[in-house]
Amino acid sequence: MVNDNEKNKHNAVPGASGFAREVNFEGLPGPTHLFSGLSKGNIASTSHGGKVSQPRAAALQCLEKIKFLSSLGSTEAIILPQVRPDLSYLKAKGFTGSDLEILKAAYDKDPGLLKIVFSSAFMWTANAAMVSPSSDCSDNKCHLTVANLAANPHRAIEAKFTYDYLSKNLANENIIIDPALGSELMDEGAANHTRFSLDYSSPGIELFVYGYSKNDQSIERPVKFPARQSLESCEKIISSHKLSKERVVLAHQNPKVIDAGVFHNDVISTGNLNYFIYHQESFTSSESVINELNEKFKTLTDENMIFTEVKTLELSLEDAVGSYLFNSQIVSPKDPKHMILIAPIECEENPRVKTYIEKLISDENNPLKEVKFFNLKESMKNGGGPACLRLRVILSEEELKGANSKIFYSEELHNNLKNIINKYYPKSLTMTDLLNQEMLDNLNECYEAFNEILKVPSLLD
Ligand code: SUG
């Protein structure tokens, strides 16, 4: 069913449910990819608001990244673009009539409503769900909790489709998909979560990062930009995923970095297997977070983790946020000791970041051995780097058996997706281009074509 490349079995011992691998659930922008300036605290989004976007280039850039990862031996799956405009959102607000009438009336009342319903932000699947592999959970089941993305209305509308898509294409008795938490517990999914283990089959330690507490007002909050992840959502998910406290570390994100544009933790730290790279200013108390992580990891595995602390003097917060270095993907599809950094091209374009990466790669003390730069500029202009575009789900062979085989990357799927993108996606777009019947018909045909290749019923419902 899945591609038969290397299966991450190097040095691996099977967990309770057998050999496991990391599956990247990749997002693709839809044909209505826009720069709407919607996300306060996301500097790229607000600074590009209103600019002309290029939906076709956006999707093809993502597809290239997916193809490359697959060629490395990574197991890649696709989460289809969600249907836009989301008319149910406008109907719930009382708009009636034909689709076009509804859209025009909403536009006349408040153009901001159309920015929400046409948003293609679902492409950043790192925000789709919080994920705990079965080897971490005391019931030996893999748990996914769909993110409510309650901080922003254009993102909150994603949760229903995500839940349906994962339930239809992935869930089985060993993979539990939980619907999003209520909006009072703000949760942004795996962008604020990193998992550490010796290999993908064995048990791990999960790091949950929150920006504020709903109940404890003594926990410092940012002053300029909103914190999007609540402590209480993390606690709720830890409990529903059946993670014991020995297997979890909770960290408070430094409000200072949120105010510098770090709206998700994956903009300032990232990890893979036993390796964690983080900026010195990531957490209010980085030293205690690192100590706790290492202690719990050592108790579990008998080994130490490998850490790279990036000092502010080596890389300013401004360079970190501008280049998205920490939003690189780290993959090790063939060998846990040979990790590859999939970095945005902005890292290569910034001489200080490029030099820092060269230093990292040549340093024997960390497992990063290669870097590959990707042009994902259309996604980056909305604040989404390589890591934002994928949801990591560690799954055993047994667990994978129930999944819809059509969602996994193959050359055929690549070509089908590419054909649809080239046929239906506008080359350039601003919001008002969408307010005509011809464009709406084009969008409907596009979504039907997507449905056809994956043969997933009722995605247009
Ligand atoms: O939620 N941008 C997204 C970017 C999400 C990045 N994801 C991770 N860091 N994992 C956000 O802020 C901008 C849309 C616009 O302005 O049109 C947007 O939603």
Side-chain angles (χ1 to χ4, degrees), residues 34-39 42 45-46 119 121 124 126-127 152 154-155 188 191 228 263-264 266-267 324 327 382-384 387-388:
L34 288 163
F35 299 130
S36 295
L38 286 168
S39 288
N42 170 344
S45 155
T46 47
S119 169
W124 300 296
N127 303 116
N152 289 291
H154 73 286
R155 303 230 52 188
E188 300 271 317
R228 297 198 199 176
F263 55 98
H264 289 138
D266 65 2
V267 177
Y324 260 43
N327 204 263
N382 262 335
C388 299

mmCIF file of all heavy atoms in Angstrom, residues 34-39 42 45-46 119 121 124 126-127 152 154-155 188 191 228 263-264 266-267 324 327 382-384 387-388, ligand 1:
data_model
loop_
_atom_site.group_PDB
_atom_site.id
_atom_site.type_symbol
_atom_site.label_atom_id
_atom_site.label_comp_id
_atom_site.label_asym_id
_atom_site.label_seq_id
_atom_site.Cartn_x
_atom_site.Cartn_y
_atom_site.Cartn_z
ATOM 1 N N LEU A 34 -4.578 32.925 -1.079
ATOM 2 C CA LEU A 34 -4.568 34.399 -1.125
ATOM 3 C C LEU A 34 -3.640 34.944 -0.049
ATOM 4 O O LEU A 34 -3.311 34.230 0.905
ATOM 5 C CB LEU A 34 -5.978 34.939 -0.814
ATOM 6 C CG LEU A 34 -7.063 34.764 -1.858
ATOM 7 C CD1 LEU A 34 -8.437 34.954 -1.225
ATOM 8 C CD2 LEU A 34 -6.880 35.755 -3.014
ATOM 9 N N PHE A 35 -3.272 36.197 -0.185
ATOM 10 C CA PHE A 35 -2.578 36.887 0.902
ATOM 11 C C PHE A 35 -3.570 37.859 1.520
ATOM 12 O O PHE A 35 -3.784 38.948 1.003
ATOM 13 C CB PHE A 35 -1.355 37.641 0.377
ATOM 14 C CG PHE A 35 -0.332 36.746 -0.270
ATOM 15 C CD1 PHE A 35 0.185 37.024 -1.525
ATOM 16 C CD2 PHE A 35 0.121 35.596 0.389
ATOM 17 C CE1 PHE A 35 1.130 36.199 -2.118
ATOM 18 C CE2 PHE A 35 1.070 34.764 -0.194
ATOM 19 C CZ PHE A 35 1.567 35.063 -1.454
ATOM 20 N N SER A 36 -4.185 37.440 2.606
ATOM 21 C CA SER A 36 -5.263 38.253 3.179
ATOM 22 C C SER A 36 -4.865 38.985 4.454
ATOM 23 O O SER A 36 -5.690 39.681 5.040
ATOM 24 C CB SER A 36 -6.494 37.376 3.437
ATOM 25 O OG SER A 36 -7.007 36.900 2.208
ATOM 26 N N GLY A 37 -3.630 38.801 4.885
ATOM 27 C CA GLY A 37 -3.169 39.533 6.085
ATOM 28 C C GLY A 37 -3.971 39.218 7.331
ATOM 29 O O GLY A 37 -4.214 40.092 8.160
ATOM 30 N N LEU A 38 -4.359 37.943 7.473
ATOM 31 C CA LEU A 38 -5.341 37.595 8.505
ATOM 32 C C LEU A 38 -4.772 37.293 9.886
ATOM 33 O O LEU A 38 -5.501 37.331 10.869
ATOM 34 C CB LEU A 38 -6.133 36.365 8.034
ATOM 35 C CG LEU A 38 -7.162 36.618 6.928
ATOM 36 C CD1 LEU A 38 -7.649 35.297 6.349
ATOM 37 C CD2 LEU A 38 -8.326 37.419 7.469
ATOM 38 N N SER A 39 -3.490 36.953 9.959
ATOM 39 C CA SER A 39 -2.992 36.384 11.218
ATOM 40 C C SER A 39 -2.166 37.373 12.013
ATOM 41 O O SER A 39 -0.966 37.569 11.746
ATOM 42 C CB SER A 39 -2.147 35.141 10.928
ATOM 43 O OG SER A 39 -2.965 34.095 10.522
ATOM 44 N N ASN A 42 1.668 37.060 13.123
ATOM 45 C CA ASN A 42 2.401 36.346 12.078
ATOM 46 C C ASN A 42 2.859 37.434 11.099
ATOM 47 O O ASN A 42 2.078 37.927 10.283
ATOM 48 C CB ASN A 42 1.443 35.332 11.437
ATOM 49 C CG ASN A 42 1.979 34.682 10.170
ATOM 50 O OD1 ASN A 42 2.934 35.163 9.570
ATOM 51 N ND2 ASN A 42 1.336 33.602 9.754
ATOM 52 N N SER A 45 2.421 37.097 7.297
ATOM 53 C CA SER A 45 1.017 37.231 6.870
ATOM 54 C C SER A 45 0.586 38.694 6.838
ATOM 55 O O SER A 45 0.053 39.176 5.831
ATOM 56 C CB SER A 45 0.109 36.418 7.803
ATOM 57 O OG SER A 45 -1.205 36.923 7.833
ATOM 58 N N THR A 46 0.849 39.415 7.918
ATOM 59 C CA THR A 46 0.346 40.804 7.963
ATOM 60 C C THR A 46 1.102 41.683 6.960
ATOM 61 O O THR A 46 0.520 42.586 6.376
ATOM 62 C CB THR A 46 0.423 41.398 9.389
ATOM 63 O OG1 THR A 46 1.700 41.122 9.936
ATOM 64 C CG2 THR A 46 -0.630 40.788 10.291
ATOM 65 N N SER A 119 -10.144 31.396 2.590
ATOM 66 C CA SER A 119 -8.779 31.131 3.054
ATOM 67 C C SER A 119 -8.313 29.711 2.728
ATOM 68 O O SER A 119 -9.054 28.735 2.862
ATOM 69 C CB SER A 119 -8.694 31.338 4.567
ATOM 70 O OG SER A 119 -7.458 30.842 5.025
ATOM 71 N N ALA A 121 -5.701 28.418 4.330
ATOM 72 C CA ALA A 121 -4.731 28.179 5.420
ATOM 73 C C ALA A 121 -4.658 26.714 5.862
ATOM 74 O O ALA A 121 -3.718 26.329 6.569
ATOM 75 C CB ALA A 121 -5.060 29.068 6.617
ATOM 76 N N TRP A 124 -1.390 24.350 5.933
ATOM 77 C CA TRP A 124 -0.373 24.156 6.981
ATOM 78 C C TRP A 124 -0.854 23.065 7.928
ATOM 79 O O TRP A 124 -1.408 23.324 9.006
ATOM 80 C CB TRP A 124 -0.093 25.495 7.664
ATOM 81 C CG TRP A 124 0.421 26.468 6.647
ATOM 82 C CD1 TRP A 124 1.604 26.363 5.942
ATOM 83 C CD2 TRP A 124 -0.236 27.634 6.154
ATOM 84 N NE1 TRP A 124 1.707 27.413 5.056
ATOM 85 C CE2 TRP A 124 0.610 28.205 5.163
ATOM 86 C CE3 TRP A 124 -1.444 28.266 6.442
ATOM 87 C CZ2 TRP A 124 0.271 29.357 4.472
ATOM 88 C CZ3 TRP A 124 -1.772 29.419 5.757
ATOM 89 C CH2 TRP A 124 -0.926 29.951 4.789
ATOM 90 N N ALA A 126 0.632 21.101 9.846
ATOM 91 C CA ALA A 126 1.206 20.983 11.202
ATOM 92 C C ALA A 126 0.201 21.493 12.227
ATOM 93 O O ALA A 126 0.318 21.195 13.413
ATOM 94 C CB ALA A 126 2.504 21.768 11.309
ATOM 95 N N ASN A 127 -0.780 22.245 11.761
ATOM 96 C CA ASN A 127 -1.833 22.739 12.656
ATOM 97 C C ASN A 127 -3.103 21.898 12.594
ATOM 98 O O ASN A 127 -4.143 22.309 13.127
ATOM 99 C CB ASN A 127 -2.191 24.192 12.310
ATOM 100 C CG ASN A 127 -1.000 25.116 12.376
ATOM 101 O OD1 ASN A 127 -0.596 25.669 11.371
ATOM 102 N ND2 ASN A 127 -0.411 25.255 13.541
ATOM 103 N N ASN A 152 -8.128 32.133 15.396
ATOM 104 C CA ASN A 152 -8.422 32.879 14.162
ATOM 105 C C ASN A 152 -9.612 32.260 13.433
ATOM 106 O O ASN A 152 -9.569 31.066 13.091
ATOM 107 C CB ASN A 152 -7.215 32.830 13.215
ATOM 108 C CG ASN A 152 -6.052 33.655 13.709
ATOM 109 O OD1 ASN A 152 -6.109 34.877 13.736
ATOM 110 N ND2 ASN A 152 -4.990 32.986 14.128
ATOM 111 N N HIS A 154 -10.519 32.334 10.358
ATOM 112 C CA HIS A 154 -10.231 31.691 9.052
ATOM 113 C C HIS A 154 -9.597 30.326 9.236
ATOM 114 O O HIS A 154 -9.583 29.514 8.308
ATOM 115 C CB HIS A 154 -9.350 32.593 8.176
ATOM 116 C CG HIS A 154 -7.911 32.697 8.614
ATOM 117 N ND1 HIS A 154 -7.505 33.415 9.719
ATOM 118 C CD2 HIS A 154 -6.772 32.166 8.089
ATOM 119 C CE1 HIS A 154 -6.183 33.333 9.850
ATOM 120 N NE2 HIS A 154 -5.721 32.567 8.873
ATOM 121 N N ARG A 155 -9.054 30.053 10.424
ATOM 122 C CA ARG A 155 -8.449 28.755 10.679
ATOM 123 C C ARG A 155 -9.417 27.825 11.417
ATOM 124 O O ARG A 155 -9.392 26.611 11.230
ATOM 125 C CB ARG A 155 -7.143 28.925 11.464
ATOM 126 C CG ARG A 155 -6.147 29.827 10.730
ATOM 127 C CD ARG A 155 -4.783 29.238 10.607
ATOM 128 N NE ARG A 155 -4.770 27.913 10.059
ATOM 129 C CZ ARG A 155 -3.703 27.125 10.000
ATOM 130 N NH1 ARG A 155 -2.569 27.537 10.487
ATOM 131 N NH2 ARG A 155 -3.756 25.919 9.463
ATOM 132 N N GLU A 188 -3.536 24.718 18.753
ATOM 133 C CA GLU A 188 -3.051 24.893 17.372
ATOM 134 C C GLU A 188 -2.353 23.645 16.836
ATOM 135 O O GLU A 188 -1.626 23.689 15.846
ATOM 136 C CB GLU A 188 -2.099 26.090 17.309
ATOM 137 C CG GLU A 188 -2.741 27.397 17.731
ATOM 138 C CD GLU A 188 -3.421 28.164 16.587
ATOM 139 O OE1 GLU A 188 -2.838 28.249 15.493
ATOM 140 O OE2 GLU A 188 -4.548 28.656 16.781
ATOM 141 N N ALA A 191 2.083 22.025 15.729
ATOM 142 C CA ALA A 191 3.046 23.135 15.622
ATOM 143 C C ALA A 191 3.593 23.504 16.993
ATOM 144 O O ALA A 191 4.653 24.127 17.097
ATOM 145 C CB ALA A 191 2.375 24.347 14.997
ATOM 146 N N ARG A 228 -1.473 31.744 21.202
ATOM 147 C CA ARG A 228 -2.541 30.933 20.601
ATOM 148 C C ARG A 228 -2.775 29.584 21.284
ATOM 149 O O ARG A 228 -3.785 28.931 21.012
ATOM 150 C CB ARG A 228 -2.211 30.639 19.141
ATOM 151 C CG ARG A 228 -2.128 31.851 18.247
ATOM 152 C CD ARG A 228 -2.234 31.367 16.808
ATOM 153 N NE ARG A 228 -1.753 32.314 15.828
ATOM 154 C CZ ARG A 228 -1.692 32.047 14.540
ATOM 155 N NH1 ARG A 228 -2.067 30.848 14.089
ATOM 156 N NH2 ARG A 228 -1.255 32.932 13.676
ATOM 157 N N PHE A 263 4.554 32.947 16.434
ATOM 158 C CA PHE A 263 3.157 32.650 16.792
ATOM 159 C C PHE A 263 2.928 31.166 17.049
ATOM 160 O O PHE A 263 1.911 30.788 17.626
ATOM 161 C CB PHE A 263 2.207 33.174 15.698
ATOM 162 C CG PHE A 263 2.538 32.649 14.330
ATOM 163 C CD1 PHE A 263 1.849 31.567 13.812
ATOM 164 C CD2 PHE A 263 3.551 33.212 13.579
ATOM 165 C CE1 PHE A 263 2.165 31.050 12.562
ATOM 166 C CE2 PHE A 263 3.877 32.702 12.329
ATOM 167 C CZ PHE A 263 3.182 31.629 11.825
ATOM 168 N N HIS A 264 3.838 30.318 16.584
ATOM 169 C CA HIS A 264 3.823 28.883 16.915
ATOM 170 C C HIS A 264 5.234 28.491 17.356
ATOM 171 O O HIS A 264 6.218 29.042 16.839
ATOM 172 C CB HIS A 264 3.462 28.017 15.695
ATOM 173 C CG HIS A 264 2.035 28.117 15.260
ATOM 174 N ND1 HIS A 264 1.671 28.201 13.939
ATOM 175 C CD2 HIS A 264 0.890 28.117 15.963
ATOM 176 C CE1 HIS A 264 0.356 28.265 13.849
ATOM 177 N NE2 HIS A 264 -0.151 28.222 15.064
ATOM 178 N N ASP A 266 6.934 26.009 16.489
ATOM 179 C CA ASP A 266 7.779 25.453 15.415
ATOM 180 C C ASP A 266 8.447 26.545 14.581
ATOM 181 O O ASP A 266 9.094 26.264 13.574
ATOM 182 C CB ASP A 266 7.015 24.447 14.540
ATOM 183 C CG ASP A 266 5.872 25.058 13.741
ATOM 184 O OD1 ASP A 266 5.662 26.292 13.805
ATOM 185 O OD2 ASP A 266 5.176 24.295 13.029
ATOM 186 N N VAL A 267 8.298 27.797 15.002
ATOM 187 C CA VAL A 267 9.035 28.886 14.359
ATOM 188 C C VAL A 267 10.334 29.176 15.142
ATOM 189 O O VAL A 267 11.176 29.951 14.713
ATOM 190 C CB VAL A 267 8.119 30.143 14.252
ATOM 191 C CG1 VAL A 267 8.839 31.334 13.670
ATOM 192 C CG2 VAL A 267 6.879 29.837 13.407
ATOM 193 N N TYR A 324 13.014 31.621 8.965
ATOM 194 C CA TYR A 324 12.297 30.385 9.324
ATOM 195 C C TYR A 324 13.228 29.176 9.436
ATOM 196 O O TYR A 324 12.828 28.049 9.136
ATOM 197 C CB TYR A 324 11.171 30.097 8.325
ATOM 198 C CG TYR A 324 9.805 30.519 8.840
ATOM 199 C CD1 TYR A 324 9.625 31.721 9.485
ATOM 200 C CD2 TYR A 324 8.690 29.701 8.673
ATOM 201 C CE1 TYR A 324 8.376 32.103 9.961
ATOM 202 C CE2 TYR A 324 7.439 30.069 9.142
ATOM 203 C CZ TYR A 324 7.295 31.275 9.781
ATOM 204 O OH TYR A 324 6.059 31.648 10.258
ATOM 205 N N ASN A 327 11.800 26.374 11.232
ATOM 206 C CA ASN A 327 10.671 25.714 10.583
ATOM 207 C C ASN A 327 11.139 24.782 9.475
ATOM 208 O O ASN A 327 10.372 24.311 8.643
ATOM 209 C CB ASN A 327 9.659 26.742 10.067
ATOM 210 C CG ASN A 327 8.280 26.141 9.947
ATOM 211 O OD1 ASN A 327 7.870 25.723 8.876
ATOM 212 N ND2 ASN A 327 7.581 26.038 11.062
ATOM 213 N N ASN A 382 2.917 33.792 3.750
ATOM 214 C CA ASN A 382 1.820 33.747 4.727
ATOM 215 C C ASN A 382 2.290 33.174 6.059
ATOM 216 O O ASN A 382 1.487 32.819 6.924
ATOM 217 C CB ASN A 382 0.665 32.894 4.189
ATOM 218 C CG ASN A 382 -0.437 33.747 3.574
ATOM 219 O OD1 ASN A 382 -0.587 34.908 3.923
ATOM 220 N ND2 ASN A 382 -1.206 33.160 2.672
ATOM 221 N N GLY A 383 3.615 32.990 6.193
ATOM 222 C CA GLY A 383 4.155 32.514 7.467
ATOM 223 C C GLY A 383 4.186 30.998 7.596
ATOM 224 O O GLY A 383 4.148 30.467 8.708
ATOM 225 N N GLY A 384 4.277 30.307 6.471
ATOM 226 C CA GLY A 384 4.315 28.834 6.524
ATOM 227 C C GLY A 384 5.555 28.267 5.855
ATOM 228 O O GLY A 384 5.717 28.358 4.639
ATOM 229 N N ALA A 387 8.126 22.904 7.545
ATOM 230 C CA ALA A 387 7.564 22.082 8.627
ATOM 231 C C ALA A 387 6.089 22.370 8.867
ATOM 232 O O ALA A 387 5.351 21.500 9.341
ATOM 233 C CB ALA A 387 8.361 22.294 9.912
ATOM 234 N N CYS A 388 5.657 23.599 8.543
ATOM 235 C CA CYS A 388 4.226 23.917 8.704
ATOM 236 C C CYS A 388 3.380 23.089 7.748
ATOM 237 O O CYS A 388 2.197 22.853 8.001
ATOM 238 C CB CYS A 388 3.943 25.381 8.366
ATOM 239 S SG CYS A 388 4.793 26.567 9.382
HETATM 240 O O1 SUG B 1 -1.902 30.271 11.221
HETATM 241 N N1 SUG B 1 -0.962 31.800 8.202
HETATM 242 C C1 SUG B 1 -0.892 30.668 9.092
HETATM 243 C C2 SUG B 1 0.504 30.076 9.051
HETATM 244 C C3 SUG B 1 0.561 28.773 9.809
HETATM 245 C C4 SUG B 1 1.966 28.279 9.966
HETATM 246 N N2 SUG B 1 1.985 27.042 10.634
HETATM 247 C C5 SUG B 1 2.944 26.629 11.511
HETATM 248 N N3 SUG B 1 3.762 27.455 12.060
HETATM 249 N N4 SUG B 1 2.969 25.376 11.829
HETATM 250 C C6 SUG B 1 -1.265 31.068 10.519
HETATM 251 O O2 SUG B 1 -0.906 32.182 10.926
HETATM 252 C C7 SUG B 1 -2.108 33.552 6.973
HETATM 253 C C8 SUG B 1 -3.286 33.617 6.032
HETATM 254 C C9 SUG B 1 -3.446 34.955 5.375
HETATM 255 O O3 SUG B 1 -3.043 35.973 5.937
HETATM 256 O O4 SUG B 1 -4.006 34.983 4.259
HETATM 257 C C10 SUG B 1 -2.147 32.324 7.858
HETATM 258 O O5 SUG B 1 -3.198 31.884 8.246
#
